[in-house]
Each structure stands twice: as structure tokens, then as C-alpha cells.
Amino acid sequence: MKPVLVILGGLMVITGAVWTFQGLGYLDGSPMTGVETWAKIGPILAGLGVALVIVALRGTNRSP
């Protein structure tokens, strides 16, 4: 389960970064380009992705 959460978190970070750059107008060729909403949603998604990766990697250490 841990690798799935790390991969999902990584995808969230990448998607959030792309949305941020599109919202800020750095990536052209999309209806999202230059739309302020995506410049706000992108960092939120990326932050949640980072948090998910941290939580997944911390996990629980169960001692026998």
C-alpha cells in the first residue's frame, strides 16, 4: 500500500506543478493557460501530494 500512496502523491505534485505553471501563463496551449483559478488550485494539490508522500513514508513501525 505504501508504494501506491507514494506514487499517487508524486503524481499529485507533478499535476499541481503543471496546473500552477499553466495558471501563471508559463505553459501555453491549454484553456487553463492564464486562468488565475489554476494558479491557486495547483499549489494546493501539490502541497497535498507532498503531505501524502510524507505520511506514506513515515508509516507505522510495528515491532514484533
Side-chain angles (χ1 to χ4, degrees):
M1 185 67 172
K2 192 181 283 194
V4 173
L5 294 177
V6 171
I7 291 170
L8 180 62
L11 290 174
M12 289 171 65
V13 170
I14 292 168
T15 302
V18 169
W19 287 359
T20 301
F21 289 130
Q22 284 179 330
L24 294 173
Y26 294 126
L27 293 176
D28 294 328
S30 169
M32 293 166 47
T33 301
V35 178
E36 186 177 324
T37 303
W38 296 109
K40 294 177 182 176
I41 294 174
I44 294 169
L45 182 66
L48 291 173
V50 169
L52 181 61
V53 169
I54 290 171
V55 168
L57 292 178
R58 286 182 72 193
T60 56
N61 292 331
R62 297 183 183 184
S63 300

